[in-house]
Amino acid sequence: MYETARKKYQAWGIDTEQAIKKCGDIPVSLHCWQGDDVMGFEQGSGGASGGIQTTGNYPGRARNGKELMADLEFAYSLIPGKKRLNLHAIYAISDTPVERDAIEPRHFDPWLEWAARRGIDLDFNPTLFSHPRASDGLTLSHPDKAVRDFWIRHVKACRRIAAYLGEKQGTPCLNNIWIPDGLKNPPADRLTPRIRLRDSLDEIFLVKYDKRHIIDAAESKVFGIGLESYTVGSSEFYLGYAATRGINVLLDSGHFHPTELVSDKIPAMLAFFEKVPLHVTRAVRWDSDHVVLFEDETKEIACEIIRNKAEDRVLIGLDYFDASINRIAAWVTGTRNMQKALLNALLIPHDDLKALQDAGNFTKLLVMQEELKTLPLGAVWEEYLARQGIAAGWYAAVEQYERDVLQKR
Ligand code: RNT
Ligand code: ZN
């Protein structure tokens, strides 16, 4: 089947061998938080709160570092290609409780060692939610200076950790700041909280690190759960902030109005920013965080990366947390769908299509775009998996793991 597929693509001027090779080299950063419903390892953690929420009670959630690492290890074995791991500050490993503003690089040494042995590099996120000091939905924009200062210290500690991880692993560590700050009901003042957020960030970024070790980013959002009427860290806010301060904006595909598309935003950002970090996720009606599917927007996001030759500039990360299904299947399905979309994008003759657009031959462009949709991608994908040493029928292995490991928790 692969041989037939190879010839079909060849007729379109596409080299499947090259696509297969390239696909395995594009890193996708897996979010550790799908494995434990964004609970983290802090004592007394009651789960995600502050603008986000996990729903579902499927058995087998990872309850500690050992279980999370074991589950990740198993998930990684079912996923082809180059992988990174995206951590949050609440996954610090410590025998004694450490406050968020006191975490240190050493609390992430166990992760660093675990990842290094598997050839995986790390990304990082400060955690400005699920905490008593964020219980009113405000952190870096809080009217109380003491609360702001606490979170400023936290993000500073996180940047230090990220720079440390980046230096140790030899590739830059993305440090992505997302804050829930917002209001449930109509605000009386939209500007002052944004000025406070701007000033908090300015204080955070006073500390300079080597860009070879850390990539600084902030993630905007249209609204949060329980904070529906106003978001301090909106898209325009961070765009302005990042453009004037030399940091990057992370685009989460679930953080915009339903008809806005991140696939269209990627090339807009590429015109101005060196790096474009992503949280690929699936929005459903009013919120994000569903398992990534192999659907039109996922494919289009991949196309914008590949057709602009931006594999080194767009940092692909995932962000969803589904607790209603087997969490390992959720990781594997979403990651593979992103990778399948990349392979699909690598099998499209982008230069020919661009030439048709520039020549104004819109009829042929439309016809070709539609014809390409039914080429035998599946056969090339299966060949890719086989060459990556990934066995077919992976879900049976997940069912086995569920019986042997997850159900015993
Ligand atoms: C929340 C943001 C944020 C979180 C993770 C856990 O709306 O998308 O990225 O999901 O940091
Ligand atoms: Zn996100």
Side-chain angles (χ1 to χ4, degrees), residues 33 176 178 219 250-253 255 279 281 288-289 318-319:
W33 53 90
N176 172 55
W178 173 74
E219 175 183 4
L250 181 143
L251 303 173
D252 180 308
S253 51
H255 286 193
H279 274 178
T281 184
S288 53
D289 308 320
L318 306 174
D319 180 15

Side-chain angles (χ1 to χ4, degrees), residues 134-251:
S135 59
D136 56 2
L138 297 167
T139 63
L140 292 175
S141 76
H142 205 288
D144 182 346
K145 184 171 184 305
V147 177
R148 288 202 303 280
D149 285 346
F150 173 81
W151 291 113
I152 289 170
R153 287 196 301 278
H154 172 62
V155 182
K156 281 185 169 174
C158 289
R159 288 186 69 235
R160 193 174 145 225
I161 292 163
Y164 167 82
L165 298 174
E167 183 172 5
K168 290 272 171 190
Q169 69 198 12
T171 65
C173 173
L174 172 68
N175 186 63
N176 172 55
I177 303 168
W178 173 74
I179 64 169
D181 297 36
L183 295 172
K184 185 179 178 79
N185 288 309
D189 180 2
R190 290 182 170 88
L191 179 58
T192 314
R194 288 184 171 136
I195 299 289
R196 287 195 293 257
L197 175 56
R198 182 196 68 192
D199 294 347
S200 293
L201 291 169
D202 278 349
E203 193 175 330
I204 286 163
F205 292 116
L206 276 178
V207 188
K208 302 291 173 208
Y209 292 102
D210 193 325
K211 286 202 175 174
R212 285 170 305 172
H213 302 154
I214 181 170
I215 295 169
D216 284 300
E219 175 183 4
S220 70
K221 191 168 181 177
V222 65
F223 82 98
I225 294 176
L227 307 164
E228 289 86 358
S229 294
Y230 168 66
T231 301
V232 185
S234 60
S235 177
E236 293 75 12
F237 175 88
Y238 283 127
L239 216 45
Y241 189 86
T244 53
R245 277 22 179 215
I247 68 156
N248 303 281
V249 179
L250 181 143
L251 303 173

